[in-house]
Amino acid sequence: MKLLERILKYQIITSLCVLTLGAVLFYLSVDYLIDREVNKELMRSKAKVSWQLRHIDELPVYILQLGDSLQLDQVRYPGQMAIVERKLFNEFENEYQPYRQLIFYERVEGAWYRVTISKLLAQRKQLLEAVVMTVTFIVALLLISLLLLNSWLSRRLWRPFYKTLRALDSYQVEQHEVLTFPKSHTVEFEQLNLSVTQFTDRLAATYQNLKEFTENASHEIQTPLAVILSKIEGLFQDESLKESQLVALSEISEAANRLAKLNQALLLLTKIENRQFLAGTEPISLVPIINRKLRDLEDLIEQREITVKTDIEPTGPVMHPALAEVLVNNLLTNAIRYNVNGGAIEITLNAGKLVVRNTGAPIHIEPELMFERFRKEGTHSASLGLGLALAKTICQVNGQTLTYETDGPWHILTVTW
């Protein structure tokens, strides 16, 4: 969820909670004030009625408001004063309505009377509801206006930030691009843009230096390695060498060849990670690549007596043809190298998936750890421990997924796109 959407969500939730709580508290407050005012009116009416019962023979009607009523009933004994609420029939409205009654007792000319003063509550309740609804509507309208204004202001204020974010998303270091931004009126965003510009400037320079170093290192290392291998080949032609010297020379030759392969693999890894291979726009078919690699590895497959089964369709991902060659070669080489004599390999290629299954000895580590550089299971001297790491890197930079699973004796490598 985006930051602005999250802020707006929290603001809406907070506003609804505040509005609900405020409406409830306002309703309770107004209801309490109205109740208190009704009780005060009842007590004022009681004082007037008590005084008039003692001093005037006839009660005037002006002591009560419209809708209220006064009732006198002679009783034998007085009781306790009480305030109660009841529904009584209102002759003016021709319906039952809520009343609040004050019941008290007065002695007049030696006789006790129960005096009941009834106050109509319907109008007060209607007033309460009207006031609460009006104020709640005004507050809700104000909150909605503030939320809309805040959302509009937030989007406008954060617009430079999202421009910077989109520029970073589309940034490609291999194009030696240095990001620049228009001047912002917000100091924080101006500082952010300046930092991003300086960072991409340093990143482009570092990338260029790394690229030049990789190319120079490859050239400088390959040249002495070629000289070493050439000298070794020449020494092999010397018939005066002893057997022990030939053995040592053979070990040196093997180490030099291994170093040359390691240099080529690391150089290829660096080029792939630096995205020096363009992916292209059209998917390539892996079928001819798989068939060609199987023919190249045919002697090794026959030597290990490995059975190969294929179920392949003319499909494949969008990627550089050279990287597709390396990917297929590493997967098949790994399936042969870590197989068992008389084992099997199954290759399945269909829409969106390439699966290479091979029998082999069980591994004693998590399968995903096999994608780490220089990680290998067993003691295969010919293995550099970079084959699966190279395949994983190729898939990552091209948007594919490479997974490693085991199922009994089967080792399963799956590429999906």
Side-chain angles (χ1 to χ4, degrees), residues 245-274:
Q245 293 174 324
L246 289 173
V247 172
L249 197 60
S250 177
E251 292 176 353
I252 294 173
S253 176
E254 183 180 348
N257 281 305
R258 183 179 177 83
L259 181 59
K261 293 179 180 179
L262 180 62
N263 178 62
Q264 292 175 355
L266 290 176
L267 178 61
L268 182 58
L269 264 175
T270 303
K271 288 183 176 181
I272 294 172
E273 291 175 344
N274 291 339

PDB file of all heavy atoms in Angstrom, residues 245-274:
ATOM      1  N   GLN A 245      58.941 -35.295 -13.381  1.00  0.00           N
ATOM      2  CA  GLN A 245      58.791 -33.938 -13.899  1.00  0.00           C
ATOM      3  C   GLN A 245      57.549 -33.823 -14.789  1.00  0.00           C
ATOM      4  O   GLN A 245      56.861 -32.803 -14.783  1.00  0.00           O
ATOM      5  CB  GLN A 245      60.046 -33.543 -14.674  1.00  0.00           C
ATOM      6  CG  GLN A 245      61.280 -33.400 -13.791  1.00  0.00           C
ATOM      7  CD  GLN A 245      62.544 -33.154 -14.595  1.00  0.00           C
ATOM      8  OE1 GLN A 245      62.697 -33.702 -15.702  1.00  0.00           O
ATOM      9  NE2 GLN A 245      63.459 -32.359 -14.036  1.00  0.00           N
ATOM     10  N   LEU A 246      57.283 -34.872 -15.561  1.00  0.00           N
ATOM     11  CA  LEU A 246      56.083 -34.860 -16.399  1.00  0.00           C
ATOM     12  C   LEU A 246      54.807 -34.845 -15.560  1.00  0.00           C
ATOM     13  O   LEU A 246      53.821 -34.188 -15.901  1.00  0.00           O
ATOM     14  CB  LEU A 246      56.094 -36.079 -17.324  1.00  0.00           C
ATOM     15  CG  LEU A 246      57.131 -36.055 -18.457  1.00  0.00           C
ATOM     16  CD1 LEU A 246      57.148 -37.393 -19.190  1.00  0.00           C
ATOM     17  CD2 LEU A 246      56.813 -34.920 -19.427  1.00  0.00           C
ATOM     18  N   VAL A 247      54.837 -35.600 -14.440  1.00  0.00           N
ATOM     19  CA  VAL A 247      53.668 -35.604 -13.540  1.00  0.00           C
ATOM     20  C   VAL A 247      53.445 -34.207 -12.963  1.00  0.00           C
ATOM     21  O   VAL A 247      52.316 -33.692 -12.920  1.00  0.00           O
ATOM     22  CB  VAL A 247      53.857 -36.638 -12.421  1.00  0.00           C
ATOM     23  CG1 VAL A 247      52.741 -36.495 -11.375  1.00  0.00           C
ATOM     24  CG2 VAL A 247      53.849 -38.046 -12.991  1.00  0.00           C
ATOM     25  N   ALA A 248      54.544 -33.576 -12.508  1.00  0.00           N
ATOM     26  CA  ALA A 248      54.421 -32.225 -11.954  1.00  0.00           C
ATOM     27  C   ALA A 248      53.945 -31.243 -13.021  1.00  0.00           C
ATOM     28  O   ALA A 248      53.119 -30.362 -12.760  1.00  0.00           O
ATOM     29  CB  ALA A 248      55.765 -31.779 -11.370  1.00  0.00           C
ATOM     30  N   LEU A 249      54.486 -31.410 -14.235  1.00  0.00           N
ATOM     31  CA  LEU A 249      54.082 -30.535 -15.328  1.00  0.00           C
ATOM     32  C   LEU A 249      52.609 -30.723 -15.674  1.00  0.00           C
ATOM     33  O   LEU A 249      51.890 -29.767 -15.985  1.00  0.00           O
ATOM     34  CB  LEU A 249      54.963 -30.837 -16.547  1.00  0.00           C
ATOM     35  CG  LEU A 249      54.976 -29.782 -17.653  1.00  0.00           C
ATOM     36  CD1 LEU A 249      55.482 -28.457 -17.127  1.00  0.00           C
ATOM     37  CD2 LEU A 249      55.841 -30.252 -18.820  1.00  0.00           C
ATOM     38  N   SER A 250      52.129 -31.973 -15.593  1.00  0.00           N
ATOM     39  CA  SER A 250      50.720 -32.239 -15.862  1.00  0.00           C
ATOM     40  C   SER A 250      49.825 -31.573 -14.817  1.00  0.00           C
ATOM     41  O   SER A 250      48.766 -31.023 -15.137  1.00  0.00           O
ATOM     42  CB  SER A 250      50.482 -33.760 -15.878  1.00  0.00           C
ATOM     43  OG  SER A 250      49.120 -34.042 -16.059  1.00  0.00           O
ATOM     44  N   GLU A 251      50.267 -31.590 -13.550  1.00  0.00           N
ATOM     45  CA  GLU A 251      49.497 -30.931 -12.496  1.00  0.00           C
ATOM     46  C   GLU A 251      49.473 -29.426 -12.707  1.00  0.00           C
ATOM     47  O   GLU A 251      48.446 -28.769 -12.480  1.00  0.00           O
ATOM     48  CB  GLU A 251      50.092 -31.279 -11.129  1.00  0.00           C
ATOM     49  CG  GLU A 251      49.917 -32.750 -10.760  1.00  0.00           C
ATOM     50  CD  GLU A 251      50.602 -33.088  -9.452  1.00  0.00           C
ATOM     51  OE1 GLU A 251      51.323 -32.211  -8.912  1.00  0.00           O
ATOM     52  OE2 GLU A 251      50.421 -34.228  -8.953  1.00  0.00           O
ATOM     53  N   ILE A 252      50.611 -28.877 -13.145  1.00  0.00           N
ATOM     54  CA  ILE A 252      50.662 -27.437 -13.417  1.00  0.00           C
ATOM     55  C   ILE A 252      49.724 -27.078 -14.566  1.00  0.00           C
ATOM     56  O   ILE A 252      49.004 -26.076 -14.526  1.00  0.00           O
ATOM     57  CB  ILE A 252      52.105 -27.006 -13.744  1.00  0.00           C
ATOM     58  CG1 ILE A 252      53.008 -27.178 -12.514  1.00  0.00           C
ATOM     59  CG2 ILE A 252      52.145 -25.562 -14.227  1.00  0.00           C
ATOM     60  CD1 ILE A 252      54.472 -26.943 -12.796  1.00  0.00           C
ATOM     61  N   SER A 253      49.717 -27.921 -15.596  1.00  0.00           N
ATOM     62  CA  SER A 253      48.843 -27.678 -16.745  1.00  0.00           C
ATOM     63  C   SER A 253      47.365 -27.726 -16.325  1.00  0.00           C
ATOM     64  O   SER A 253      46.558 -26.892 -16.738  1.00  0.00           O
ATOM     65  CB  SER A 253      49.122 -28.716 -17.833  1.00  0.00           C
ATOM     66  OG  SER A 253      48.224 -28.559 -18.911  1.00  0.00           O
ATOM     67  N   GLU A 254      47.046 -28.724 -15.497  1.00  0.00           N
ATOM     68  CA  GLU A 254      45.661 -28.831 -15.026  1.00  0.00           C
ATOM     69  C   GLU A 254      45.266 -27.611 -14.206  1.00  0.00           C
ATOM     70  O   GLU A 254      44.157 -27.071 -14.363  1.00  0.00           O
ATOM     71  CB  GLU A 254      45.510 -30.104 -14.197  1.00  0.00           C
ATOM     72  CG  GLU A 254      44.085 -30.349 -13.712  1.00  0.00           C
ATOM     73  CD  GLU A 254      43.978 -31.627 -12.887  1.00  0.00           C
ATOM     74  OE1 GLU A 254      44.942 -32.417 -12.884  1.00  0.00           O
ATOM     75  OE2 GLU A 254      42.914 -31.811 -12.261  1.00  0.00           O
ATOM     76  N   ALA A 255      46.154 -27.137 -13.330  1.00  0.00           N
ATOM     77  CA  ALA A 255      45.858 -25.961 -12.513  1.00  0.00           C
ATOM     78  C   ALA A 255      45.717 -24.718 -13.376  1.00  0.00           C
ATOM     79  O   ALA A 255      44.843 -23.865 -13.137  1.00  0.00           O
ATOM     80  CB  ALA A 255      46.953 -25.768 -11.463  1.00  0.00           C
ATOM     81  N   ALA A 256      46.562 -24.599 -14.409  1.00  0.00           N
ATOM     82  CA  ALA A 256      46.482 -23.435 -15.290  1.00  0.00           C
ATOM     83  C   ALA A 256      45.180 -23.438 -16.083  1.00  0.00           C
ATOM     84  O   ALA A 256      44.539 -22.383 -16.252  1.00  0.00           O
ATOM     85  CB  ALA A 256      47.692 -23.420 -16.229  1.00  0.00           C
ATOM     86  N   ASN A 257      44.784 -24.615 -16.581  1.00  0.00           N
ATOM     87  CA  ASN A 257      43.507 -24.708 -17.296  1.00  0.00           C
ATOM     88  C   ASN A 257      42.325 -24.391 -16.381  1.00  0.00           C
ATOM     89  O   ASN A 257      41.362 -23.730 -16.778  1.00  0.00           O
ATOM     90  CB  ASN A 257      43.348 -26.113 -17.888  1.00  0.00           C
ATOM     91  CG  ASN A 257      44.141 -26.293 -19.170  1.00  0.00           C
ATOM     92  OD1 ASN A 257      43.991 -25.524 -20.122  1.00  0.00           O
ATOM     93  ND2 ASN A 257      45.018 -27.283 -19.196  1.00  0.00           N
ATOM     94  N   ARG A 258      42.422 -24.865 -15.151  1.00  0.00           N
ATOM     95  CA  ARG A 258      41.356 -24.580 -14.186  1.00  0.00           C
ATOM     96  C   ARG A 258      41.274 -23.083 -13.900  1.00  0.00           C
ATOM     97  O   ARG A 258      40.185 -22.507 -13.800  1.00  0.00           O
ATOM     98  CB  ARG A 258      41.637 -25.355 -12.895  1.00  0.00           C
ATOM     99  CG  ARG A 258      40.569 -25.208 -11.836  1.00  0.00           C
ATOM    100  CD  ARG A 258      40.945 -26.044 -10.607  1.00  0.00           C
ATOM    101  NE  ARG A 258      39.992 -25.875  -9.541  1.00  0.00           N
ATOM    102  CZ  ARG A 258      38.846 -26.521  -9.440  1.00  0.00           C
ATOM    103  NH1 ARG A 258      38.522 -27.400 -10.371  1.00  0.00           N
ATOM    104  NH2 ARG A 258      38.030 -26.303  -8.432  1.00  0.00           N
ATOM    105  N   LEU A 259      42.451 -22.453 -13.787  1.00  0.00           N
ATOM    106  CA  LEU A 259      42.481 -21.008 -13.545  1.00  0.00           C
ATOM    107  C   LEU A 259      41.908 -20.251 -14.734  1.00  0.00           C
ATOM    108  O   LEU A 259      41.181 -19.257 -14.560  1.00  0.00           O
ATOM    109  CB  LEU A 259      43.925 -20.559 -13.277  1.00  0.00           C
ATOM    110  CG  LEU A 259      44.123 -19.068 -12.979  1.00  0.00           C
ATOM    111  CD1 LEU A 259      43.319 -18.653 -11.759  1.00  0.00           C
ATOM    112  CD2 LEU A 259      45.610 -18.760 -12.778  1.00  0.00           C
ATOM    113  N   ALA A 260      42.174 -20.697 -15.944  1.00  0.00           N
ATOM    114  CA  ALA A 260      41.630 -20.044 -17.135  1.00  0.00           C
ATOM    115  C   ALA A 260      40.107 -20.162 -17.164  1.00  0.00           C
ATOM    116  O   ALA A 260      39.397 -19.195 -17.467  1.00  0.00           O
ATOM    117  CB  ALA A 260      42.250 -20.659 -18.385  1.00  0.00           C
ATOM    118  N   LYS A 261      39.604 -21.366 -16.847  1.00  0.00           N
ATOM    119  CA  LYS A 261      38.148 -21.540 -16.808  1.00  0.00           C
ATOM    120  C   LYS A 261      37.513 -20.679 -15.715  1.00  0.00           C
ATOM    121  O   LYS A 261      36.441 -20.093 -15.911  1.00  0.00           O
ATOM    122  CB  LYS A 261      37.806 -23.012 -16.576  1.00  0.00           C
ATOM    123  CG  LYS A 261      38.179 -23.934 -17.731  1.00  0.00           C
ATOM    124  CD  LYS A 261      37.818 -25.372 -17.401  1.00  0.00           C
ATOM    125  CE  LYS A 261      38.189 -26.311 -18.547  1.00  0.00           C
ATOM    126  NZ  LYS A 261      37.873 -27.729 -18.224  1.00  0.00           N
ATOM    127  N   LEU A 262      38.180 -20.619 -14.551  1.00  0.00           N
ATOM    128  CA  LEU A 262      37.666 -19.808 -13.450  1.00  0.00           C
ATOM    129  C   LEU A 262      37.615 -18.336 -13.837  1.00  0.00           C
ATOM    130  O   LEU A 262      36.635 -17.636 -13.553  1.00  0.00           O
ATOM    131  CB  LEU A 262      38.543 -20.009 -12.211  1.00  0.00           C
ATOM    132  CG  LEU A 262      38.143 -19.215 -10.958  1.00  0.00           C
ATOM    133  CD1 LEU A 262      36.758 -19.620 -10.495  1.00  0.00           C
ATOM    134  CD2 LEU A 262      39.170 -19.429  -9.850  1.00  0.00           C
ATOM    135  N   ASN A 263      38.645 -17.875 -14.505  1.00  0.00           N
ATOM    136  CA  ASN A 263      38.679 -16.483 -14.938  1.00  0.00           C
ATOM    137  C   ASN A 263      37.549 -16.190 -15.928  1.00  0.00           C
ATOM    138  O   ASN A 263      36.872 -15.156 -15.829  1.00  0.00           O
ATOM    139  CB  ASN A 263      40.032 -16.180 -15.579  1.00  0.00           C
ATOM    140  CG  ASN A 263      40.117 -14.756 -16.092  1.00  0.00           C
ATOM    141  OD1 ASN A 263      40.012 -13.799 -15.329  1.00  0.00           O
ATOM    142  ND2 ASN A 263      40.297 -14.613 -17.402  1.00  0.00           N
ATOM    143  N   GLN A 264      37.331 -17.101 -16.859  1.00  0.00           N
ATOM    144  CA  GLN A 264      36.256 -16.904 -17.832  1.00  0.00           C
ATOM    145  C   GLN A 264      34.886 -16.916 -17.154  1.00  0.00           C
ATOM    146  O   GLN A 264      34.013 -16.102 -17.485  1.00  0.00           O
ATOM    147  CB  GLN A 264      36.328 -17.998 -18.900  1.00  0.00           C
ATOM    148  CG  GLN A 264      37.558 -17.890 -19.796  1.00  0.00           C
ATOM    149  CD  GLN A 264      37.665 -19.049 -20.760  1.00  0.00           C
ATOM    150  OE1 GLN A 264      36.865 -19.985 -20.703  1.00  0.00           O
ATOM    151  NE2 GLN A 264      38.655 -19.006 -21.659  1.00  0.00           N
ATOM    152  N   ALA A 265      34.700 -17.831 -16.183  1.00  0.00           N
ATOM    153  CA  ALA A 265      33.414 -17.912 -15.496  1.00  0.00           C
ATOM    154  C   ALA A 265      33.144 -16.658 -14.671  1.00  0.00           C
ATOM    155  O   ALA A 265      32.033 -16.096 -14.698  1.00  0.00           O
ATOM    156  CB  ALA A 265      33.379 -19.148 -14.601  1.00  0.00           C
ATOM    157  N   LEU A 266      34.144 -16.191 -13.925  1.00  0.00           N
ATOM    158  CA  LEU A 266      33.967 -14.987 -13.117  1.00  0.00           C
ATOM    159  C   LEU A 266      33.751 -13.759 -13.990  1.00  0.00           C
ATOM    160  O   LEU A 266      32.957 -12.870 -13.662  1.00  0.00           O
ATOM    161  CB  LEU A 266      35.180 -14.786 -12.205  1.00  0.00           C
ATOM    162  CG  LEU A 266      35.327 -15.799 -11.061  1.00  0.00           C
ATOM    163  CD1 LEU A 266      36.611 -15.552 -10.294  1.00  0.00           C
ATOM    164  CD2 LEU A 266      34.132 -15.725 -10.121  1.00  0.00           C
ATOM    165  N   LEU A 267      34.450 -13.708 -15.099  1.00  0.00           N
ATOM    166  CA  LEU A 267      34.269 -12.596 -16.029  1.00  0.00           C
ATOM    167  C   LEU A 267      32.850 -12.602 -16.596  1.00  0.00           C
ATOM    168  O   LEU A 267      32.196 -11.553 -16.697  1.00  0.00           O
ATOM    169  CB  LEU A 267      35.290 -12.697 -17.160  1.00  0.00           C
ATOM    170  CG  LEU A 267      35.196 -11.630 -18.258  1.00  0.00           C
ATOM    171  CD1 LEU A 267      35.406 -10.249 -17.674  1.00  0.00           C
ATOM    172  CD2 LEU A 267      36.191 -11.914 -19.373  1.00  0.00           C
ATOM    173  N   LEU A 268      32.365 -13.792 -16.946  1.00  0.00           N
ATOM    174  CA  LEU A 268      31.005 -13.895 -17.475  1.00  0.00           C
ATOM    175  C   LEU A 268      29.980 -13.498 -16.414  1.00  0.00           C
ATOM    176  O   LEU A 268      28.996 -12.798 -16.705  1.00  0.00           O
ATOM    177  CB  LEU A 268      30.744 -15.317 -17.965  1.00  0.00           C
ATOM    178  CG  LEU A 268      29.374 -15.577 -18.596  1.00  0.00           C
ATOM    179  CD1 LEU A 268      29.135 -14.662 -19.782  1.00  0.00           C
ATOM    180  CD2 LEU A 268      29.250 -17.046 -19.005  1.00  0.00           C
ATOM    181  N   LEU A 269      30.196 -13.942 -15.171  1.00  0.00           N
ATOM    182  CA  LEU A 269      29.300 -13.558 -14.072  1.00  0.00           C
ATOM    183  C   LEU A 269      29.245 -12.046 -13.907  1.00  0.00           C
ATOM    184  O   LEU A 269      28.181 -11.450 -13.747  1.00  0.00           O
ATOM    185  CB  LEU A 269      29.779 -14.199 -12.765  1.00  0.00           C
ATOM    186  CG  LEU A 269      29.131 -15.518 -12.340  1.00  0.00           C
ATOM    187  CD1 LEU A 269      29.814 -16.063 -11.104  1.00  0.00           C
ATOM    188  CD2 LEU A 269      27.657 -15.333 -12.081  1.00  0.00           C
ATOM    189  N   THR A 270      30.402 -11.408 -13.961  1.00  0.00           N
ATOM    190  CA  THR A 270      30.456  -9.949 -13.797  1.00  0.00           C
ATOM    191  C   THR A 270      29.723  -9.249 -14.931  1.00  0.00           C
ATOM    192  O   THR A 270      28.973  -8.295 -14.712  1.00  0.00           O
ATOM    193  CB  THR A 270      31.916  -9.483 -13.743  1.00  0.00           C
ATOM    194  OG1 THR A 270      32.591 -10.168 -12.681  1.00  0.00           O
ATOM    195  CG2 THR A 270      31.996  -7.980 -13.499  1.00  0.00           C
ATOM    196  N   LYS A 271      29.917  -9.722 -16.156  1.00  0.00           N
ATOM    197  CA  LYS A 271      29.245  -9.105 -17.294  1.00  0.00           C
ATOM    198  C   LYS A 271      27.726  -9.271 -17.188  1.00  0.00           C
ATOM    199  O   LYS A 271      26.970  -8.353 -17.518  1.00  0.00           O
ATOM    200  CB  LYS A 271      29.757  -9.721 -18.601  1.00  0.00           C
ATOM    201  CG  LYS A 271      31.172  -9.300 -18.966  1.00  0.00           C
ATOM    202  CD  LYS A 271      31.583  -9.891 -20.309  1.00  0.00           C
ATOM    203  CE  LYS A 271      32.958  -9.397 -20.722  1.00  0.00           C
ATOM    204  NZ  LYS A 271      33.372  -9.955 -22.048  1.00  0.00           N
ATOM    205  N   ILE A 272      27.291 -10.453 -16.742  1.00  0.00           N
ATOM    206  CA  ILE A 272      25.845 -10.679 -16.601  1.00  0.00           C
ATOM    207  C   ILE A 272      25.267  -9.778 -15.525  1.00  0.00           C
ATOM    208  O   ILE A 272      24.217  -9.151 -15.708  1.00  0.00           O
ATOM    209  CB  ILE A 272      25.569 -12.155 -16.295  1.00  0.00           C
ATOM    210  CG1 ILE A 272      25.968 -13.033 -17.485  1.00  0.00           C
ATOM    211  CG2 ILE A 272      24.099 -12.367 -15.949  1.00  0.00           C
ATOM    212  CD1 ILE A 272      25.904 -14.509 -17.189  1.00  0.00           C
ATOM    213  N   GLU A 273      25.930  -9.694 -14.364  1.00  0.00           N
ATOM    214  CA  GLU A 273      25.434  -8.851 -13.274  1.00  0.00           C
ATOM    215  C   GLU A 273      25.442  -7.379 -13.661  1.00  0.00           C
ATOM    216  O   GLU A 273      24.617  -6.599 -13.180  1.00  0.00           O
ATOM    217  CB  GLU A 273      26.271  -9.080 -12.020  1.00  0.00           C
ATOM    218  CG  GLU A 273      26.056 -10.469 -11.401  1.00  0.00           C
ATOM    219  CD  GLU A 273      26.974 -10.730 -10.232  1.00  0.00           C
ATOM    220  OE1 GLU A 273      27.973  -9.986 -10.094  1.00  0.00           O
ATOM    221  OE2 GLU A 273      26.699 -11.671  -9.459  1.00  0.00           O
ATOM    222  N   ASN A 274      26.383  -6.980 -14.507  1.00  0.00           N
ATOM    223  CA  ASN A 274      26.424  -5.599 -14.985  1.00  0.00           C
ATOM    224  C   ASN A 274      25.470  -5.358 -16.156  1.00  0.00           C
ATOM    225  O   ASN A 274      25.436  -4.258 -16.710  1.00  0.00           O
ATOM    226  CB  ASN A 274      27.850  -5.230 -15.414  1.00  0.00           C
ATOM    227  CG  ASN A 274      28.789  -5.137 -14.233  1.00  0.00           C
ATOM    228  OD1 ASN A 274      28.365  -4.970 -13.093  1.00  0.00           O
ATOM    229  ND2 ASN A 274      30.090  -5.254 -14.491  1.00  0.00           N
TER     230      ASN A 274
END
